[in-house]
Amino acid sequence: MRGWWREIAGLVLPVACGGCGRPRTELCPSCAAALTGAGAGPRRVRPSPEPAGLPVVHAVAPYADVVRELLLAHKERGVLPLARPLGNALADAVEAAAGAAKSPEAAPLLLVPVPSSRRSVRARGHDPTRRIALAAAARLRSAGRRARVVPVLRQRRYVADQAGLGARGRLANLSGALELVPGGGRLLGAGEVVLVDDLMTTGASLAEAARALGAVHRPFIPGIPQGLPAGSAQHGFEQRAAAVIASSPASFELNRNLSGSWIVAGGER
């Protein structure tokens, strides 16, 4: 019944694949396959230069061609049904970043989206990263992995448009721009945190998000001893894992000397 309704809707309303423009489908099989990294699965990616504090990042596919078009269709053109397949791709990257669950009772995965500015959300009419993160969490739960989205980061000051800025300029633009919402530290203490975003290029956004998470007070984080010695730092939660769908539009290359890691540089985020 659902397939029949989509066929009828495709005749009445113009529908085309967000990746290649193929008519009467929002995502064709060929473009869906591109979201798996051509079958290679998620890999670790590194920007060059790599910003200080960047966690270990896993990505599914290069930000180019079909994958770029799919992300832009969802983010900028509001093709909201793409959130589900994009979320499935992000879920794969999250699992690679977090590793296999040690037991069914393992702590849940807490997906922390890198926040968009309020003006961007208003202009687009939706929050694309948060929407994809919710789809990823749903996919993980359907596979038996406890997961939920914890949107505990927010922008604390104005951030200029990143377009046209190089790696150094983006780091300066984002430095100190994010903070935790009140009570965010307590929420993060309930599981294993994975930063998520749709795209990484320079790594500036993820590095700043990791810095903001570093402001979490130690007593809220499981596994960190209580009763620290007098004078010791009371902050310093180290964010170790991040996941994105795609990485680097221009400088994707295979570094065979680092176990097949993808090395990335330049780009848009």
Side-chain angles (χ1 to χ4, degrees):
M1 182 70 174
R2 182 176 297 177
W4 173 83
W5 170 248
R6 285 180 177 173
E7 287 293 320
I8 296 297
L11 294 173
V12 177
L13 302 174
V15 176
C17 175
C20 66
R22 180 178 176 178
R24 297 181 65 184
T25 179
E26 286 159 343
L27 181 63
C28 73
S30 176
C31 292
L35 286 177
T36 68
R43 302 282 187 91
R44 183 177 178 181
V45 290
R46 298 174 185 236
S48 178
E50 184 171 344
L54 183 70
V56 174
V57 184
H58 282 76
V60 174
Y63 182 63
D65 304 325
V66 165
V67 174
R68 180 179 185 274
E69 291 303 316
L70 290 171
L71 286 170
L72 289 176
H74 176 260
K75 178 185 285 186
E76 305 295 351
R77 299 196 293 275
V79 185
L80 301 186
L82 289 176
R84 183 173 181 179
L86 292 172
N88 292 346
L90 182 59
D92 290 342
V94 168
E95 286 200 297
K102 295 179 176 60
S103 72
E105 294 76 29
L109 295 177
L110 305 179
L111 278 54
V112 177
V114 174
S116 301
S117 68
R118 291 181 179 178
R119 68 181 182 279
S120 295
V121 173
R122 286 195 299 268
R124 292 169 176 151
H126 73 125
D127 186 335
T129 303
R130 186 170 179 176
R131 186 182 296 274
I132 292 171
L134 289 167
R139 172 61 178 266
L140 289 165
R141 290 193 299 270
S142 70
R145 190 78 183 262
R146 298 167 63 199
R148 65 177 183 271
V149 176
V150 186
V152 295
L153 292 175
R154 67 183 181 187
Q155 290 195 353
R156 61 185 294 270
R157 64 165 176 81
Y158 174 79
V159 174
D161 190 345
Q162 296 275 76
L165 297 178
R168 186 174 300 177
R170 291 174 187 229
L171 282 171
N173 186 41
L174 289 169
S175 179
L178 302 181
E179 65 180 1
L180 263 72
V181 300
R186 295 185 182 277
L187 295 175
L188 295 178
E192 181 180 356
V193 176
V194 180
L195 275 170
V196 296
D197 207 349
D198 59 346
L199 167 67
M200 183 188 77
T201 51
T202 67
S205 296
L206 287 171
E208 170 57 19
R211 182 211 59 79
L213 289 181
V216 174
H217 220 281
R218 283 181 183 269
F220 298 150
I221 304 301
I224 296 180
Q226 307 296 312
L228 297 173
S232 61
Q234 290 297 305
H235 294 75
F237 167 52
E238 185 180 1
Q239 176 56 34
R240 298 177 182 274
V244 296
I245 296 169
S247 196
S248 184
S251 303
F252 234 104
E253 66 180 48
L254 185 65
N255 185 337
R256 300 183 186 277
N257 295 324
L258 287 176
S259 301
S261 294
W262 287 344
I263 307 301
V264 287
E268 301 181 5
R269 182 136 192 169

